[in-house]
Amino acid sequence: EECRFGIGWDIHRLVEGRKLYLGGIRIPCRKGCLGHSDGDVLLHAVTDAVLGVLAEGDIGDWFSDRDPKNKGIRSDKILKTVMKRAGEKGWQLGHVDSVLILEYPKLGPYKAKIAKESLPIWQRSRRLYLKLLLVSCSLGRHVTAYLPLRSSPACHCGFYPI
């Protein structure tokens, strides 16, 4: 039996005038992620991890920012498309483990909602684990230096299929 594992990573700059989506959920915030799509770093990282399992490129190969039809596309639609492809190739979700790294807003109150409302994307599985690492300026430059763009949400994700 073949064993595979995918890893995903994404980061977007927070800017005024955009809605903030994380894990497919709209998060109240005065800023949102800059991007050709809705800029959902969590779902983008998961999508890239799934594509890693499939060995079929990355999110930019599938949903180019040069294609006008992808302008403003919701990331849950992107992930659903890739999950459908995974199913066609005989893979389904075994486990998703992700770490969302951001300075603000505080996401503790939204953690359960993100997991619950993302479940339809995960087919029949309930194996989504989300850890939040809230990076604070007060922790010093050794921590905030981790983020290439200050106040930019980032996400690491691992995907194990079955």
Side-chain angles (χ1 to χ4, degrees):
E1 184 176 324
E2 186 175 12
C3 181
R4 294 187 184 191
F5 183 81
I7 299 171
W9 151 260
D10 196 36
I11 187 169
H12 286 272
R13 182 189 315 249
L14 283 177
V15 297
E16 299 281 345
R18 295 273 301 190
K19 294 176 182 173
L20 179 61
Y21 288 94
L22 295 170
I25 304 302
R26 174 115 194 286
I27 306 294
C29 187
R30 62 183 174 80
K31 293 183 177 183
C33 291
L34 180 64
H36 192 71
S37 68
D38 63 9
D40 188 324
V41 295
L42 175 56
L43 295 188
H44 289 184
V46 173
T47 299
D48 268 340
V50 174
L51 287 169
V53 165
L54 301 178
E56 291 197 11
D58 62 32
I59 196 171
D61 297 327
W62 280 61
F63 298 92
S64 172
D65 62 0
R66 295 178 184 181
D67 188 337
K69 74 178 180 189
N70 294 327
K71 180 73 175 162
I73 190 171
R74 290 288 310 274
S75 298
D76 54 352
K77 181 178 180 182
I78 291 171
L79 182 54
K80 284 176 187 173
T81 300
V82 171
M83 291 297 290
K84 180 180 178 191
R85 177 67 175 148
E88 291 167 355
K89 292 187 82 174
W91 296 101
Q92 63 179 325
L93 176 68
H95 182 85
V96 173
D97 192 7
S98 57
V99 180
L100 187 58
I101 306 158
L102 70 162
E103 190 172 7
Y104 69 88
K106 297 200 180 297
L107 295 179
Y110 301 99
K111 190 174 173 180
K113 184 176 182 180
I114 289 170
K116 180 182 177 194
E117 294 194 18
S118 295
L119 282 176
I121 298 170
W122 315 118
Q123 301 161 335
R124 295 176 298 274
S125 179
R126 296 188 179 273
R127 296 181 180 126
L128 168 65
Y129 297 94
L130 172 63
K131 293 181 281 299
L132 301 175
L133 174 59
L134 297 174
V135 178
S136 167
C137 293
S138 64
L139 294 176
R141 66 186 173 141
H142 66 285
V143 175
T144 55
Y146 176 79
L147 297 175
L149 303 169
R150 191 152 152 68
S151 301
S152 300
C155 186
H156 295 273
C157 176
F159 179 86
Y160 177 77
I162 54 174

